[in-house]
Amino acid sequence: MDQRAPINLWYPPANADPITIMSVLPSMSFAYQCHMTSVPLYAEMAGRSTKKYLVVVGVAMFLASTSYLVVGYTGFALYGQSVDPDIILSFPSDSIVMTVGRIAVTLAICMTYPIVLFIGRTALEGFVTEITRHTSRPPRPGNEKFRLSSIAIWFVITAIVATFATGIKDVISVVGSI
């Protein structure tokens, strides 16, 4: 029988390197994204009410959890322990399933990018507003020049990372799952 040490969830082990500690960032980022987008989502709802909002959030969480569980379970049932850390390498490159998977990942990235951009821009705007609030000309919230320049900078940084990253495993380990 396999004897494993108990897992301590309250603090990192003494031998944990910074990369291991930073591995919680994807979960924290996901929670922050959900938190930041919930207020605009509620504001955009037609006939909004707390009850309707809770139903929308509940259905969304159910669908997301179910999809993750189905994909995770079927992947483990199909491949077991022999799954490569980069799941894409587990499939032949000329497979129809792989082509559909690539298209699905592309769509997921295209649909996620605006949400991440909104959250990044909002956080950056809050940061800039906070550090310049004591100056003679603090930026106005919603300033179009600031918004467009932050979007351009975000896009350029994303393009640079996409161009020079050696693999998706490195990118996902920093920014989280898609």
Side-chain angles (χ1 to χ4, degrees):
M1 183 168 192
D2 186 24
Q3 296 291 332
R4 296 183 183 173
I7 297 173
N8 187 339
L9 300 175
W10 299 108
Y11 58 90
N15 62 350
D17 61 302
I19 299 297
T20 304
I21 294 170
M22 296 295 281
S23 67
V24 301
L25 279 180
S27 298
M28 297 296 288
S29 296
F30 183 72
Y32 183 69
Q33 287 174 3
C34 292
H35 167 75
M36 287 296 292
T37 56
S38 65
V39 173
L41 173 70
Y42 182 78
E44 293 292 322
M45 286 177 62
R48 61 181 171 250
S49 69
T50 306
K51 184 177 179 180
K52 186 176 179 182
Y53 177 71
L54 290 175
V55 169
V56 168
V57 169
V59 169
M61 289 177 65
F62 174 77
L63 291 173
S65 299
T66 302
S67 339
Y68 281 126
L69 287 171
V70 167
V71 169
Y73 176 76
T74 54
F76 186 75
L78 186 60
Y79 295 105
Q81 297 281 344
S82 63
V83 174
D84 194 288
D86 185 351
I87 191 73
I88 294 172
L89 298 176
S90 298
F91 293 96
S93 60
D94 60 348
S95 161
I96 297 291
V97 172
M98 193 60 213
T99 303
V100 170
R102 284 189 182 114
I103 292 169
V105 167
T106 303
L107 288 173
I109 290 170
C110 289
M111 299 300 179
T112 304
Y113 194 85
I115 296 170
V116 174
L117 176 65
F118 169 74
I119 292 165
R121 184 176 52 82
T122 304
L124 181 62
E125 187 177 85
F127 176 73
V128 169
T129 301
E130 184 63 30
I131 64 172
T132 61
R133 72 180 175 165
H134 299 294
T135 62
S136 60
R137 292 186 65 201
R140 292 177 313 192
N143 182 333
E144 186 173 347
K145 185 176 179 181
F146 177 82
R147 187 174 65 243
L148 293 175
S149 61
S150 64
I151 290 170
I153 290 168
W154 190 280
F155 182 77
V156 168
I157 290 171
T158 304
I160 290 170
V161 169
T163 303
F164 294 107
T166 58
I168 194 149
K169 179 182 174 189
D170 300 329
V171 175
I172 289 176
S173 69
V174 174
V175 298
S177 63
I178 298 171

